[in-house]
Structure formats: C-alpha cells, structure tokens
Amino acid sequence: MAIFLADNSPSSDPPADEAQDARRRRDPEATRQAILDAAQELFVCHGPAGTSLSAIAKKADVTKSLIHHHFGSKEELWLAVEEYRFRAYFDIQRKMLLESDSTADLLRDSITAYFRFLQSEPDSVRFLMWHMLEDEEQPCPNLEKELFELGIEKIREAQDKGEIRSDLEPFFIIKSLLALPMGWFQTRCMTQALIDSDISAERLDEMYLEDMVKHFLEGVRPRPEDDSDPMAG
Amino acid sequence: MAIFLADNSPSSDPPADEAQDARRRRDPEATRQAILDAAQELFVCHGPAGTSLSAIAKKADVTKSLIHHHFGSKEELWLAVEEYRFRAYFDIQRKMLLESDSTADLLRDSITAYFRFLQSEPDSVRFLMWHMLEDEEQPCPNLEKELFELGIEKIREAQDKGEIRSDLEPFFIIKSLLALPMGWFQTRCMTQALIDSDISAERLDEMYLEDMVKHFLEGVRPRPEDDSDPMAG
DNA sequence: GAGTAAATTGACCGACCGGTCAATAGTCTA
DNA sequence: TAGACTATTGACCGGTCGGTCAATTTACTC
C-alpha cells in the first residue's frame, strides 16, 4: 500500500559537493539532470499519478517553477523520463543481443542475460509496469521494433541451422523469452511468502533461473522425429 | 498517457431500474455494492492514486460522504475492492484447477484455461499489475498459498506417473505457467504495433496460444534418456 | 406511534495539486 | 561595460484532494 504511506525518505539525495556547486554557479544541464533523476526515482516508486511536482522539486532541491521551465508540464516531464529510461533499456538489450553472435547458444544467452538484467535493475521492472498501465503508446516504438526484428532474424538463422525447432514463430519465442524473467521479478516480493522454507531471495532466483532455462530450452529443441513443415500458420 | 486525460465516459452506469429503486428506497447493501462497482472500474482504469473519491461518488451516483460512511477511507475502499477482486480471481482459478482431474493433460488444460481467463477478463490483468505496484502484501495470502499447494501436489502426481519431467520444481513450473499468458496480455496493446501484417488481435491471440502451449509442454515432457535423479537442487 | 439506530445529504475544512507570472540574478556576447 | 538572454526564485492562482460534521431522512423496534 505504498501510495498511502508518506514518503519518509530524506528530503533529498546527499547534497554532494558537485550538486551544491552546480546549484551555486548556474548549470542548467546539471539542473535538468537533477530533476530528471529525482523524477525517475519518485515515478518508479509511486507512479506518475502518485508523484507530485512538489515532491520532485524537493528531492531535486529546486523550485517547482524550475521544473516547468525545463520540462513544461508534468506530463512532458513523465514523457522525458520515459524516453530517458527506455533508450537506456533498449540500448542495453541491443548490446546483449549483438554480443552473443553464436547462434548455438542464442536463446540460452538471451534469456539468461535478460534475467540478470532485470535482477540487477528492479527499477526497470517497475518502470515497465507503470508504462504499461499509464501509457498506450510506446515511447520509442522504432527502437523496440528494430530490436524485435533483429531478434527474429537471429532466431530464423538458428532455425535454418536446425538448432531451434522450426514450427514456432520467432516473434512468439521472443515474447515468451521476455515474459518468463519479467513474470518472475514482477511477483518476486510475494513469492517469498509462498515458500515455506527460508531460502534466501538470491538463492531462489538462481534456482528459478536454472529451471526456467532448462524448461525454456527444452521446449524449443528440435525433436528427432520432427521433420515436418517449417513455418506453420 | 491515460492518467493525463480527463475521464470522458458518461458520468454513471446506465441508471437501471434496480439501481434507481435501490437508491429511492434505502438499501445500504445495494449502495455498498454500487460504490464497490464504481470504484472497481475506476481503479482498474486509473489506479488507486489516479482515482479520486469524488469520481467514484459521481459514477456510483452517491455522495462522497457515503463512501466514507460505508468504507471509512480511500485506502480501506481500495483494500475492499482488492479483497473482492482477488477472492473472485482465486475462486475461479481453484475451480479451473479442480476441474481438470486427469493428470495427463493437467498442464495443457491449466495454461490454456489461464490464458482464456485473462483473455476474457482484461481487467484482471490490469488489476494484478496495480496490485503488484501499489501493495507489498497479498490481500488473500492464504488463498494464493492454498492454490499453489494444490497445483504443486497435482504436478507431483504427474511427475510420479512420468508424465512430466521430474527435474523441474513444480513451484517453478506454475510460476512459468502463469508468467506466459500474463506477459502476453500485459503487452498486448503494444504487440499489434510490432507486427507488420494486419492480423486481428483475436487471431494473434490464437496463434500465440498455440505456440506457447506447444513450447511450454515440450519443455516439460520427459525425454527418453531422462532417467536421472528427480528432485534436483 | 414513539424512539432509536442507521443511511444519506450537503456544507465545509485545511492541505495540496499543477500551473502562472513578474521580478531577480547569474552568464554570455558585443 | 552595456545589454540581451535565460536560469532561478517566490508569491500566488483556482481547483481539487481526502476527510469531517451536523442535520435530515428513512427503516426498524418496542
């Protein structure tokens, strides 16, 4: 019930020397970034509807008017934060995808890398969820599309080589590849309560990762008797 | 960017005779339900932080004070709506799980049923997401736990019969079973934009369901050479 | 029919919301 | 150094927020 609780975190990030200096001597770029960072943190925590401009201003140690000066309105600020996050998100994903150039372990590497990414950046999970709930449009549709097409191409190659069964649409394979780690971390905080034993969260992550990869890979492995038509449907 | 747009839906549900009658002659139970229904709809659409009590009162055709009278505070109303939704959600799931008593098609039936359920009730998808973002605690932890234990038991049976490979933790199998349909419908509105062809949303659902089930089931199928130790980890 | 408890109303509260605006204070250029 | 530009401030706006309260209306009980 996060939104019903007052934000009891200290009013602002540790006012590091750089930040203080940046405010003493004018530095609009640093100010912009400070606002963006503060907004990001609060938006991730409480969502756009649950975050007030006053709270952002307080955390960024600027006046509310300054937010309007640099970003226009609350909506534009939210969009700016989204763009900022999504660009980083897609960049990382593209990098991960391009790294694994061996088609043999393509899916194992991809799903593992995605799992590790979400594990190390739980904010991304929450951000994606806020986005799915609050926005109908993709902030960077071109980036996502490009990424999917790249992934589809790679999977097609692996299918042609016979390393992945050919009766599954590459697009759907990617969708499942993304859904499994995402689903795990979306419900991670509630998962612990479902387990009787006192396994640590980290250990649980490792156990799930292992089974998930095993299950996922086995499902896409070409079976001996499977020489039927590729491209079904 | 739903939260930034005014709610331009008609102010209230069609004031059916029953509703009007219920308000003319006093009927506290009907009033409570009207508030609950209106709150449910608005919460699903805009989330708890994005929904005002005034909006709920308007939609339910009651005064704001009446909400406080029946539910206390906004938070208590949100919790009441959650409890209401979750109880229905778990009831349906338990029913689905108990129905398929043949262990042979247990997983096929379960994942298909869950997919169909989310497909027919997109509100549930959004509600679950709001819940995951806003609340840390489960509203009905006992119900969920009971459900998981039931599922785990059934999977264990199937594993003992050799119908499901034994080197996967049943708990994790369920997690994946839930994550796949959920992930699909969470991003459904953006999926269309990723596809070049003009396949209808319904057709796309069917195609994904088919591949997802194929992939999921193949991944849990015991392999011929697989006679290693069950219960790994 | 009197009395009581509960449902319902509308007026009202202080706090906060997103946003505006004129004034001020640095920074850069000519 | 003068002047233009802009980052920054603080006071202020109308509106809405969640919530309270006393008064009124209805239903139930004896």
Side-chain angles (χ1 to χ4, degrees):
Chain A
M1 63 197 84
I3 69 152
F4 297 110
L5 299 174
D7 186 27
N8 53 4
S9 70
S11 64
S12 69
D13 285 343
D17 300 345
E18 43 161 353
Q20 272 192 340
D21 254 27
R23 210 64 36 76
R24 199 176 308 144
R25 314 195 160 281
R26 288 193 174 182
D27 186 345
E29 209 45 52
T31 301
R32 229 189 105 93
Q33 192 61 42
I35 295 171
L36 217 47
D37 290 342
Q40 197 176 168
E41 187 168 333
L42 289 173
F43 280 150
V44 162
C45 186
H46 306 112
T51 304
S52 72
L53 289 186
S54 329
I56 296 173
K58 198 168 164 192
K59 191 172 205 66
D61 197 26
V62 299
T63 41
K64 215 174 33 165
S65 319
L66 213 41
I67 300 181
H68 283 104
H69 175 71
H70 282 287
F71 294 93
S73 66
K74 186 187 182 183
E75 171 167 8
E76 286 171 289
L77 175 58
W78 165 249
L79 293 178
V81 171
E82 277 208 315
E83 167 109 10
Y84 182 69
R85 280 299 288 226
F86 271 89
R87 207 163 285 277
Y89 175 75
F90 286 129
D91 277 358
I92 286 185
Q93 292 215 93
R94 190 207 281 109
K95 210 185 110 206
M96 295 194 311
L97 199 53
L98 290 177
E99 263 177 10
S100 74
D101 45 5
S102 84
T103 60
D105 293 328
L106 172 66
L107 292 184
R108 162 176 273 119
D109 290 353
S110 297
I111 197 171
T112 304
Y114 192 58
F115 186 92
R116 292 295 180 203
F117 170 69
L118 295 185
Q119 185 183 38
S120 67
E121 291 210 26
D123 276 5
S124 287
V125 179
R126 289 182 67 85
F127 214 93
L128 277 164
M129 293 177 77
W130 287 121
H131 167 72
M132 292 187 280
L133 283 168
E134 308 270 13
D135 307 273
E136 298 175 353
E137 301 163 12
Q138 196 67 18
C140 316
N142 46 339
L143 285 183
E144 193 186 17
K145 193 160 188 173
E146 179 196 333
L147 209 56
F148 261 87
E149 281 164 3
L150 185 57
I152 289 174
E153 194 183 326
K154 288 218 161 202
I155 292 178
R156 284 247 156 80
E157 286 177 28
Q159 285 178 326
D160 290 343
K161 288 193 193 171
E163 287 157 354
I164 296 176
R165 54 193 288 200
S166 300
D167 60 335
L168 297 177
E169 271 294 327
F171 179 78
F172 295 149
I173 294 178
I174 298 179
K175 276 286 175 185
S176 297
L177 186 153
L178 297 174
L180 288 168
M182 182 61 79
W184 174 255
F185 288 111
Q186 278 178 353
T187 58
R188 195 203 205 190
C189 58
M190 306 170 205
T191 297
Q192 207 77 6
L194 287 175
I195 308 277
D196 281 324
S197 67
D198 51 356
I199 305 174
S200 74
E202 295 73 27
R203 178 86 192 95
L204 208 57
D205 283 355
E206 297 308 309
M207 291 167 69
Y208 179 70
L209 173 60
E210 187 184 334
D211 274 20
M212 178 193 73
V213 169
K214 241 192 297 186
H215 183 175
F216 181 79
L217 289 184
E218 197 63 37
V220 296
R221 197 160 92 172
R223 297 192 59 90
E225 74 272 24
D226 182 62
D227 51 4
S228 58
D229 60 327
M231 300 297 95
Chain B
M1 61 196 83
I3 67 152
F4 297 109
L5 300 174
D7 187 25
N8 53 3
S9 71
S11 64
S12 71
D13 284 342
D17 300 345
E18 41 162 353
Q20 272 191 341
D21 254 28
R23 210 64 38 74
R24 201 177 306 147
R25 314 197 159 279
R26 287 194 174 182
D27 186 344
E29 209 46 52
T31 301
R32 228 188 105 94
Q33 193 61 43
I35 295 172
L36 217 47
D37 289 342
Q40 196 176 171
E41 188 168 334
L42 289 174
F43 279 150
V44 162
C45 186
H46 305 113
T51 305
S52 71
L53 289 185
S54 330
I56 295 172
K58 197 170 165 191
K59 190 170 206 67
D61 199 26
V62 299
T63 40
K64 213 173 36 163
S65 319
L66 212 41
I67 300 181
H68 284 104
H69 176 70
H70 281 288
F71 294 93
S73 66
K74 187 185 181 184
E75 170 166 8
E76 286 171 289
L77 174 58
W78 165 249
L79 292 178
V81 171
E82 278 209 315
E83 167 110 9
Y84 182 67
R85 279 301 287 228
F86 271 89
R87 209 163 284 278
Y89 174 76
F90 286 129
D91 278 356
I92 287 185
Q93 292 216 92
R94 189 205 284 109
K95 209 183 112 208
M96 293 194 311
L97 198 53
L98 290 176
E99 262 177 11
S100 73
D101 45 5
S102 84
T103 60
D105 292 327
L106 173 66
L107 292 184
R108 161 175 274 118
D109 290 353
S110 297
I111 197 170
T112 303
Y114 191 59
F115 186 92
R116 292 293 180 207
F117 169 69
L118 295 184
Q119 184 182 39
S120 67
E121 292 210 26
D123 277 5
S124 287
V125 180
R126 290 181 68 84
F127 214 93
L128 277 165
M129 291 177 77
W130 288 121
H131 166 73
M132 292 187 279
L133 282 169
E134 308 272 13
D135 308 272
E136 299 175 353
E137 301 163 13
Q138 196 66 17
C140 315
N142 48 338
L143 286 184
E144 194 186 15
K145 191 160 188 170
E146 178 197 333
L147 208 55
F148 260 87
E149 280 163 4
L150 185 57
I152 289 174
E153 195 184 327
K154 288 217 164 201
I155 291 178
R156 284 248 156 79
E157 286 177 26
Q159 285 178 326
D160 290 343
K161 287 193 195 170
E163 286 158 356
I164 296 177
R165 55 193 287 202
S166 300
D167 60 336
L168 296 178
E169 270 296 327
F171 178 78
F172 295 149
I173 294 178
I174 297 179
K175 276 283 172 187
S176 297
L177 185 153
L178 297 174
L180 288 169
M182 182 60 79
W184 174 255
F185 289 111
Q186 277 178 355
T187 59
R188 196 204 205 190
C189 57
M190 308 170 203
T191 296
Q192 207 77 4
L194 286 175
I195 308 277
D196 281 323
S197 67
D198 51 354
I199 304 173
S200 74
E202 297 73 27
R203 179 83 191 95
L204 208 57
D205 283 355
E206 298 308 310
M207 291 167 69
Y208 179 71
L209 173 60
E210 187 184 332
D211 274 21
M212 178 193 74
V213 169
K214 239 193 296 184
H215 183 175
F216 181 79
L217 288 184
E218 197 63 39
V220 297
R221 195 160 93 174
R223 298 194 58 90
E225 74 271 23
D226 183 64
D227 49 4
S228 57
D229 60 327
M231 302 294 96

